[in-house]
Amino acid sequence: EIQKEDISHTINFIKIDCTLLKTSLVNHCVVWQGKLTGLLNHNALQQLRDLHSLFEENTKKLTTPPLNLDALSESINTLRELKTNLPEIEKKFEPLRNMYSTLQKFEVQITDEEHDLLDNLQTEWSNFNQMLLDVEKMLDKSKVNMKRDLETSVESYGDHVKDLRKEIVVSLPYGAEITKEGAFAAIETYKKKTEGARAMQMALKPGLDIFGIELPDHKEMRDTERDLSYMQQIWGLSNDWDNLWDK
């Protein structure tokens, strides 16, 4: 609009020369246009790089076969989150293309890198979607293999709990023939073994959650923890009685 204005105006007998004012306004507009298009270019490039980084980083992460249940769980959660967010990710494409159309309108020169990233965006998007489908199949196979390993671990845990129960039934200090020190030492030993068994149980939980399997709750474990609690109370009362008697 400023460019279309005349550089001089005549009012009655006075001629006003607006050359300097027009030049100054034009330069001012050019500077601000450069700043705004530069900011637009910076934001567009950042969004373009972020999209390609999202494709690249998640492809690298998901195509790495999980070696344990923790890695499997993480991959499944990442896959689920990405599949949920696919529509939102695709919605970013059109505004991004509009930004580059605006830059082209104002004759802003973009780099070869930007040209390549923009031209390859749709192809990379298609490859990314196909990768998610392939990874889902791969994770399903991993789940089958790891479920067998998990079931073996659950069986081993169950056997361990039963063996511990048998050992405790025989070895806990039920009689008065053992010293107080020996009784408390035995109770402490089996408390640690029971805590270790509980730790084994909780270590199975992430894997069981993946397959929707309830955490095993063995009656033998509950009985063992109950007996240890009772034994601790009984020998504690006995110790308190002896101390009072000695006084």
Side-chain angles (χ1 to χ4, degrees):
E1 294 295 327
I2 296 175
Q3 291 281 18
K4 295 177 182 178
E5 295 292 335
D6 295 331
I7 60 174
S8 64
H9 296 274
T10 300
I11 302 175
N12 294 328
F13 58 89
I14 300 175
K15 182 178 182 180
I16 301 175
D17 186 357
C18 300
T19 303
L20 294 177
L21 177 61
K22 181 177 179 180
T23 301
S24 177
L25 289 173
V26 168
N27 290 338
H28 180 75
C29 291
V30 168
V31 169
W32 273 101
Q33 178 179 305
K35 289 181 178 181
L36 292 174
T37 54
L39 178 62
L40 181 65
N41 192 185
H42 175 271
N43 291 340
L45 177 57
Q46 187 61 53
Q47 291 182 31
L48 190 56
R49 284 174 173 166
D50 287 346
L51 283 170
H52 280 275
S53 294
L54 183 146
F55 300 156
E56 182 180 350
E57 291 172 5
N58 284 288
T59 296
K60 182 179 180 181
K61 180 178 181 180
L62 288 174
T63 53
T64 301
L67 300 178
N68 52 53
L69 287 169
D70 289 339
L72 177 63
S73 177
E74 184 177 355
S75 293
I76 290 174
N77 290 335
T78 300
L79 178 64
R80 184 184 299 118
E81 182 179 353
L82 286 171
K83 289 178 67 177
T84 301
N85 292 336
L86 285 179
E88 294 301 318
I89 296 173
E90 191 171 18
K91 284 181 182 178
K92 297 178 181 180
F93 293 179
E94 191 60 30
L96 182 60
R97 293 191 180 100
N98 291 338
M99 292 169 76
Y100 275 101
S101 294
T102 302
L103 292 172
Q104 185 179 14
K105 176 182 176 182
F106 285 96
E107 299 181 347
V108 176
Q109 297 297 317
I110 63 175
T111 64
D112 292 339
E113 176 200 4
E114 288 176 270
H115 274 297
D116 292 341
L117 291 176
L118 190 60
D119 291 343
N120 293 332
L121 182 60
Q122 195 61 45
T123 300
E124 292 298 323
W125 174 243
S126 298
N127 293 339
F128 184 71
N129 278 269
Q130 184 60 48
M131 180 275 297
L132 294 180
L133 294 175
D134 294 339
V135 165
E136 187 169 17
K137 295 177 183 177
M138 182 264 288
L139 292 178
D140 285 340
K141 292 180 181 178
S142 296
K143 285 173 68 174
V144 171
N145 295 331
M146 290 192 183
K147 186 176 182 180
R148 286 197 294 263
D149 295 339
L150 179 63
E151 288 170 345
T152 300
S153 298
V154 170
E155 290 178 7
S156 298
Y157 165 70
D159 292 340
H160 177 72
V161 168
K162 292 173 183 177
D163 291 341
L164 179 60
R165 178 61 184 166
K166 292 176 183 178
E167 183 180 352
I168 284 180
V169 167
V170 173
S171 303
L172 277 182
Y174 294 102
E177 67 278 359
I178 189 172
T179 64
K180 287 185 296 183
E181 292 76 12
F184 285 121
I187 293 169
E188 187 62 28
T189 296
Y190 286 109
K191 280 179 64 177
K192 290 181 178 179
K193 288 186 177 183
T194 303
E195 290 169 358
R198 279 295 186 193
M200 288 176 61
Q201 180 193 40
M202 296 310 298
L204 295 170
K205 188 176 187 306
L208 294 172
D209 289 343
I210 293 174
F211 302 105
I213 302 173
E214 291 187 5
L215 196 66
D217 184 22
H218 294 87
K219 180 178 182 299
E220 292 87 351
M221 175 62 77
R222 297 196 304 272
D223 290 344
T224 294
E225 290 175 331
R226 180 203 60 206
D227 289 353
L228 282 170
S229 176
Y230 286 163
M231 199 63 63
Q232 183 79 41
Q233 295 176 46
I234 291 170
W235 281 97
L237 289 172
S238 175
N239 184 60
D240 292 343
W241 173 264
D242 289 343
N243 289 336
L244 291 172
W245 182 263
D246 291 340
K247 289 181 180 180

